[in-house]
Amino acid sequence: MTQAPATSRGTRRQHDREIVALAVPAFGALVAEPLFVMVDSAIVGHLGTAQLAGLGVASALLTTAVSVFVFLAYATTAAVARRVGAGDLQAAIRQGMDGIWLAILLGALVIAVILPTAPALVDLFGASHTAAPYATTYLRISSLGIPAMLVVLAATGVLRGLQDTKTPLYVAVAGFVANAVLNAGLVYGADLGIAGSAWGTVIAQCGMAAVYLAVVVRGARRHGASLRPDSSGIRASAQAGAPLLVRTLSLRAILMIATAVAARLGDADIAAHQIVLSLWSLLAFALDAIAIAGQAIIGRYLGADDAVGARQACRRMVEWGVAVGVVLGVLVVLAGPVFLPLFTSDSTVKDVALPALVIVALSQPICGVVFVLDGVLMGAGDGPYLAKAMLVTLAVFAPFALLVPVLGGGLTALWAAMTLMMTVRMLTLWLRARSGRWLVTGATR
């Protein structure tokens, strides 16, 4: 009678150690990423309003261009982790190299699209005539670093699959410092203006990619894995990533619809929406760190043919997601009155934002379950289901969100629709997790 609980407690402690060991460094690396844009904004902001506005437009375009390829990290993590679980490190690193070659090819394609169309893209995003030249300059130069950015995504996935989230943290911190120093030196020291900021970012990203490649190449040589591009392997990586691309585009569509609806509600509402959305995104980093741990751990268990261990790990990570969600929700409620004045002194904006923040706080346990199960199913390589589930979520969310201004609802109603969206995601993911159909074991799915 006493042995079973002890074993259960021992298993939970083991899962807890694995989750913390992977999630904490992953959280640090995730937080470091948006700091790149913040440093650029702080440095360019002193050049003038038009330069800062141009940076804002160009950064939005670059972020969109890179974020749609986040599947390079997710799909690679799952595939590599499976082979690690199967005990075949050579195949694991070979799989990772396929993802990296795919990243290089996609990066070259994105450059070929952005360079000639940069002015049209900037105009499409509504840049003013004074900001447009700066946005075009920044976008064209920074696009040269996109292959490096995508290599960083894929290589990060390789290391996560190898159960290593510390190296990405170290590289992200070093890249942040290098970016800050290069930007300051090139913008002011070399007097290159906004072009200097763009070149600084490109150099920093290329440096990060070089470090990642050195780590992966060293591992490939140690385990005898080929570094040459393999067309069938690259094609398999693309096929595994395609459903996750659909998932990501659907999520981006949801966020764009929400912003468009908020803009129709009025200036105070869109301003408050941006504040609430920024906090929501920050909270997502903490939950996404657990999801990243889930991708690596679940992939490893399934690769080792341990479906029972995978299910136990899933259950424990869901408990973590709920607990962290509750803590984050309480922090939002307590910090709301202090948080809002950091972004605005307009009492109207504060009044609009506060009820929306309460909804965000209440929804955090739901978000915790969503992020964790999303990571679990990614780690299982269950991309096709995730794509279908997100399309269903988009189909449910869109009409509710679009009805908000028609029915006279405000920002609170919009964020209620966002919570509905997360609830639908939770239900679709929970049903899949409960079914056990994602528990496909073996070195490959």
Side-chain angles (χ1 to χ4, degrees):
M1 294 294 291
T2 59
Q3 184 62 35
T7 302
S8 177
R9 286 196 298 271
T11 301
R12 286 199 300 269
R13 284 196 295 268
Q14 178 187 345
H15 290 318
D16 290 345
R17 286 194 296 269
E18 289 184 330
I19 293 168
V20 171
L22 291 170
V24 172
F27 174 70
L30 289 170
V31 171
E33 292 173 8
L35 294 180
F36 274 76
V37 177
M38 291 180 63
V39 168
D40 289 359
S41 299
I43 293 174
V44 171
H46 291 286
L47 294 175
T49 301
Q51 288 90 332
L52 183 58
L55 172 66
V57 171
S59 294
L61 284 163
L62 284 167
T63 300
T64 300
V66 174
S67 64
V68 297
F69 297 115
V70 72
F71 69 83
L72 289 167
Y74 295 158
T76 304
T77 297
V80 171
R82 274 185 176 269
R83 286 160 176 79
V84 169
D88 192 347
L89 290 178
Q90 182 186 69
I93 296 176
R94 176 63 258 180
Q95 179 72 41
M97 284 305 305
D98 292 334
I100 290 173
W101 280 112
L102 177 61
I104 293 172
L105 293 174
L106 290 173
L109 178 63
V110 174
I111 288 179
V113 171
I114 288 182
L115 284 179
T117 62
L121 291 172
V122 166
D123 183 63
L124 182 65
F125 264 57
S128 67
H129 70 280
T130 54
Y134 297 111
T136 301
T137 297
Y138 190 93
L139 181 59
R140 277 181 166 157
I141 296 173
S142 292
S143 68
L144 300 177
I146 286 180
M149 296 179 195
L150 299 188
V151 166
V152 166
L153 283 177
T156 299
V158 176
L159 295 180
R160 288 174 180 170
L162 293 171
Q163 316 296 296
D164 176 10
T165 57
K166 290 183 179 179
T167 299
L169 172 61
Y170 300 148
V171 175
V173 172
F176 165 71
V177 174
N179 181 65
V181 173
L182 287 166
N183 270 259
L186 293 174
V187 171
Y188 299 117
D191 199 25
L192 294 179
I194 195 170
S197 176
W199 281 118
T201 300
V202 169
I203 295 170
Q205 292 287 350
C206 288
M208 292 171 64
V211 172
Y212 274 119
L213 288 175
V215 172
V216 174
V217 167
R218 186 170 65 244
R221 288 175 176 169
R222 183 185 307 123
H223 297 287
S226 174
L227 298 174
R228 295 179 180 179
D230 176 68
S231 58
S232 61
I234 294 172
R235 187 164 53 251
S237 294
Q239 290 172 346
L244 296 181
L245 176 61
V246 173
R247 167 202 168 275
T248 301
L249 290 175
S250 300
L251 181 57
R252 296 293 298 183
I254 287 171
L255 296 178
M256 289 176 64
I257 290 171
T259 299
V261 169
R264 293 179 61 187
L265 297 175
D267 289 347
D269 290 87
I270 185 61
H273 175 72
Q274 289 304 113
I275 294 172
V276 175
L277 185 61
S278 66
L279 177 61
W280 191 74
S281 300
L282 179 63
L283 298 173
F285 285 135
L287 298 173
D288 203 25
I290 305 174
I292 288 170
Q295 293 170 31
I297 293 170
I298 294 298
R300 192 190 74 233
Y301 272 113
L302 294 178
D305 295 323
D306 187 357
V308 174
R311 188 180 285 279
Q312 290 175 341
C314 172
R315 185 180 300 112
R316 188 56 177 164
M317 280 183 280
V318 169
E319 292 171 357
W320 268 80
V322 173
V324 172
V326 170
V327 172
L328 292 177
V330 172
L331 289 176
V332 169
V333 172
L334 295 177
V338 179
F339 176 78
L340 289 175
L342 296 177
F343 288 85
T344 181
S345 57
D346 189 327
S347 59
T348 302
V349 174
K350 293 179 186 177
D351 291 341
V352 172
L354 193 56
L357 281 180
V358 173
I359 291 179
V360 169
L362 293 174
S363 69
Q364 286 310 293
I366 296 174
C367 293
V369 175
V370 169
F371 274 82
V372 167
L373 291 181
D374 207 38
V376 165
L377 296 183
M378 282 184 191
D382 206 11
Y385 181 83
L386 289 173
K388 295 173 187 176
M390 190 58 78
L391 287 172
V392 169
T393 302
L394 173 60
V396 173
F397 169 77
F400 277 92
L402 294 174
L403 281 173
V404 168
V406 175
L407 298 178
L411 189 68
T412 303
L414 176 59
W415 275 93
M418 289 286 285
T419 300
L420 171 65
M421 178 269 294
M422 295 301 290
T423 303
V424 172
R425 287 186 70 188
M426 182 182 69
L427 290 175
T428 57
L429 296 174
W430 177 76
L431 288 172
R432 185 64 168 183
R434 187 185 180 194
S435 73
R437 294 177 184 174
W438 55 279
L439 290 165
V440 179
T441 58
T444 58
R445 183 177 172 87

